[in-house]
Amino acid sequence: MIPEIKKILCATDLSANARYSCGYAASLAHRYGAGITIIHVLEPEIRGGYAYDLSPYITDEKWEEIEKRQEEEAISDIKTRLAQFSEEVAREHASCLFNIDEIIVIRGNPVEKILLYTKSGDFDMVVMGSRGHGTFVDAMVGSTARRVLRRCEIPVLVVRLPKDEE
C-alpha cells in the first residue's frame, strides 16, 4: 500500500535547521500535492525578575493583562516572521509548489503541542529539524524531535543539517 500524503505538519523554531527541514516538507508537498501547516510553539515564560520586584505595586490582574498583550504581540511578530520564512523557503525551492494551508503560533510545551496538533488536525506526517547536539546531550535531556518521534502516532521525518552547515 502506498501512503497518501495530503497534510503535512511542519514544526519550526525558525533556525537554519528548520529552514532546511522545510525544504523537505516543500519537496514532499510538491510530490504528493499536499498542503503544509507550519507550527511554532512558544515556550511558557516563568514570571520572575522584574515581576518579583514590582509585585507590591502591580496586581495579578494587571500582570495577566501585560502578559496577554506581550503574548499577542509575540504571536503577531512570529506569524509575520513565519510568513516571510515561508516565502524565502518557496523562493529557495522554486521548483516545488509550497502551499501553506495555515500558520499556527501557540504557547506551551513544544512536544505536547506538536503531538496535540497531529491528533486534532488529521495530518499524514510531521516534518521537523533536529539540531544534533550530540549523543550525550540527547541522552540526558532529549531533544524535541526525539520526543516527538518517540510518541507520535503518525510518521515523523526528522531532518538534520548537513555536517558542513552545523
Side-chain angles (χ1 to χ4, degrees), residues 5 19-20 24 33 36-37 50 74 80 86 98-99 135 142 155 164:
I5 299 172
R19 175 182 305 281
Y20 188 69
Y24 277 83
I36 299 173
T37 295
Y50 296 115
T80 300
S86 299
F98 197 66
N99 180 23
T135 308
D164 59 338

Side-chain angles (χ1 to χ4, degrees), residues 36-70:
I36 299 173
T37 295
I38 295 178
I39 186 170
H40 178 84
V41 183
L42 296 165
E43 300 225 27
E45 294 179 17
I46 299 171
R47 191 186 294 184
Y50 296 115
Y52 180 75
D53 295 339
L54 298 173
S55 60
Y57 310 105
I58 298 178
T59 65
D60 285 342
E61 293 81 22
K62 186 66 176 172
W63 270 121
E64 288 174 17
E65 179 185 319
I66 291 168
E67 288 172 344
K68 182 175 169 78
R69 191 170 355 128
Q70 287 176 333

Side-chain angles (χ1 to χ4, degrees), residues 93-148:
H93 302 279
S95 63
C96 294
L97 177 64
F98 197 66
N99 180 23
I100 303 297
D101 291 338
E102 186 178 7
I103 294 176
I104 299 166
V105 180
I106 53 173
R107 185 172 300 282
N109 176 293
V111 174
E112 298 304 324
K113 293 298 182 180
I114 292 167
L115 292 171
L116 176 70
Y117 270 88
T118 62
K119 292 176 182 172
S120 65
D122 198 31
F123 292 98
D124 300 302
M125 72 179 306
V126 177
V127 176
M128 61 190 307
S130 174
R131 294 191 182 186
H133 292 296
T135 308
F136 179 72
V137 173
D138 283 348
M140 294 304 291
V141 178
S143 69
T144 299
R146 182 178 301 268
R147 288 179 281 164
V148 168

Side-chain angles (χ1 to χ4, degrees), residues 15-21 24 128-132 158-166:
S15 66
N17 188 249
R19 175 182 305 281
Y20 188 69
S21 65
Y24 277 83
M128 61 190 307
S130 174
R131 294 191 182 186
V158 178
V159 181
R160 289 185 69 169
L161 271 173
K163 271 211 179 291
D164 59 338
E165 294 186 38
E166 289 182 346

